[in-house]
């Protein structure tokens, strides 16, 4: 049923409630009629287009129970409040458009559960917080993915160029601080001196309690001393002889 762009407001100006009880009606387009009031419960539909009206209030949470709904367009209305947290339960959604409303709050993380989603538009609202990511979400509008979220000054994170506060900057700052601490000269020198002291103490304890090691150490020291002494004497004698000859 396509009744879009007509003057069918009726006496109340609201969308008729009886439409929600029509079990055999699967596709409905009531866009551009300027209906007011809240979004009614439309339980049996596969495609719902209520864009271009003057609908107010919040998006009803029971809309997330429409497991068979494939297309949902509520754009260009005056809807406020948050996007329902359980939006990810609508596993059949292929197209979702909530643009040009007054929606606020964060984008639910469950949005990343919509594995069949091919088109998404949340632009021109008052949404804030980090944009959720997911295998399907990251593939949408690959040429210009940020267009799905423009007009929401409070949103941050990829694919927008605006970084979320306390995230990237703090990580970079933290990396710099850790690098500075890792290569701090004072820490390096302290570790070097401590290592030398521990090493000398280990050698001292070994010589103190191991008699054979102690004997071998002093014997090695004596032999090295004798070799150095003889070497110095020979060189000195050779030097003195050459000096006397000249």
């Amino acid at each position: 049923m396509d009744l879009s762009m007509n003057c069918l407001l009726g006496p109340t100006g609201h969308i008729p409630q009886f439409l929600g009880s029509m079990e055999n009606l699967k596709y409905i387009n009531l866009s551009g009629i300027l209906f007011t009031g809240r979004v009614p419960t439309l339980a049996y539909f596969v495609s719902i287009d209520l864009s271009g009206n003057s609908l107010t209030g919040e998006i009803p949470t029971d809309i997330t129970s429409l497991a068979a709904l494939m297309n949902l367009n509520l754009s260009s209305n005056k809807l406020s409040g948050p996007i329902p947290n359980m939006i990810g339960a609508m596993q059949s959604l292929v197209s979702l458009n909530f643009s040009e409303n007054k929606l606020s709050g964060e984008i639910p993380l469950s949005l990343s559960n919509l594995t069949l989603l091919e088109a998404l538009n949340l632009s021109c609202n008052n949404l804030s917080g980090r944009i959720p990511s997911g295998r399907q979400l990251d593939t949408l509008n690959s040429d210009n993915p940020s267009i799905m979220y423009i007009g929401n000054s409070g949103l941050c994170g990829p694919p927008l160029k605006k970084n979320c506060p306390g995230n990237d900057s703090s990580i970079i700052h933290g990396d710099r601080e850790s690098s500075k601490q890792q290569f701090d000269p004072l820490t390096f020198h302290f570790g070097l001196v401590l290592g030398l002291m521990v090493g000398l103490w280990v050698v001292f304890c070994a010589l103190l309690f191991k008699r054979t090691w102690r004997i071998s150490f002093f014997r090695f020291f004596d032999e090295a001393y004798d070799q150095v002494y003889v070497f110095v004497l020979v060189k000195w004698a050779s030097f003195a002889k050459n000096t006397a000859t000249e």
Side-chain angles (χ1 to χ4, degrees), residues 42-118:
L42 304 172
Y44 303 102
F45 292 96
V46 173
S47 178
I48 298 174
D49 188 346
L50 303 179
S51 61
N53 286 285
S54 296
L55 300 176
T56 58
E58 297 185 357
I59 299 173
T61 55
D62 56 3
I63 202 171
T64 60
S65 63
L66 304 181
L69 190 65
M70 299 177 62
N71 302 291
L72 178 59
N73 190 348
L74 300 178
S75 63
S76 301
N77 280 285
K78 299 178 181 179
L79 299 173
S80 58
I83 298 174
N85 283 328
M86 296 302 295
I87 193 74
M90 306 174 72
Q91 289 294 306
S92 298
L93 272 182
V94 176
S95 175
L96 179 63
N97 192 341
F98 288 162
S99 63
E100 298 185 38
N101 280 285
K102 300 178 181 180
L103 300 176
S104 58
E106 297 185 355
I107 300 175
L109 294 177
S110 66
L111 192 68
S112 60
N113 297 333
L114 301 179
T115 55
L116 299 180
L117 197 63
E118 297 179 359

Side-chain angles (χ1 to χ4, degrees), residues 126-231:
N126 298 317
L127 299 172
S128 59
R130 179 185 298 276
I131 297 174
S133 61
R135 183 168 55 185
Q136 186 67 17
L137 288 179
D138 296 342
T139 63
L140 301 179
N141 292 321
S142 57
D143 293 337
N144 187 12
S146 62
I147 199 172
M148 299 184 292
Y149 307 105
I150 60 173
N152 295 279
S153 58
L155 288 179
C156 60
L160 300 179
K161 295 181 179 180
K162 180 181 178 181
N163 292 327
C164 294
N167 182 31
D168 295 340
S169 59
S170 63
I171 292 175
I172 295 173
H173 181 70
D175 290 342
R176 290 178 178 175
E177 288 297 326
S178 61
S179 299
K180 182 179 179 181
Q181 293 177 1
Q182 183 178 358
F183 298 104
D184 189 353
L186 182 61
T187 304
F188 172 76
H189 292 148
F190 176 77
L192 180 62
V193 172
L194 182 60
L196 289 175
M197 292 177 62
V198 172
L200 291 175
W201 181 251
V202 170
V203 173
F204 174 77
C205 290
L207 295 178
L208 183 63
F209 295 104
K210 279 285 188 177
R211 184 172 180 273
T212 55
W213 289 13
R214 185 168 61 252
I215 294 173
S216 298
F217 173 76
F218 286 113
R219 181 178 297 170
F220 171 78
F221 183 79
D222 290 339
E223 292 177 356
Y225 173 79
D226 291 340
Q227 290 180 4
V228 172
Y229 180 73
V230 171
F231 176 79

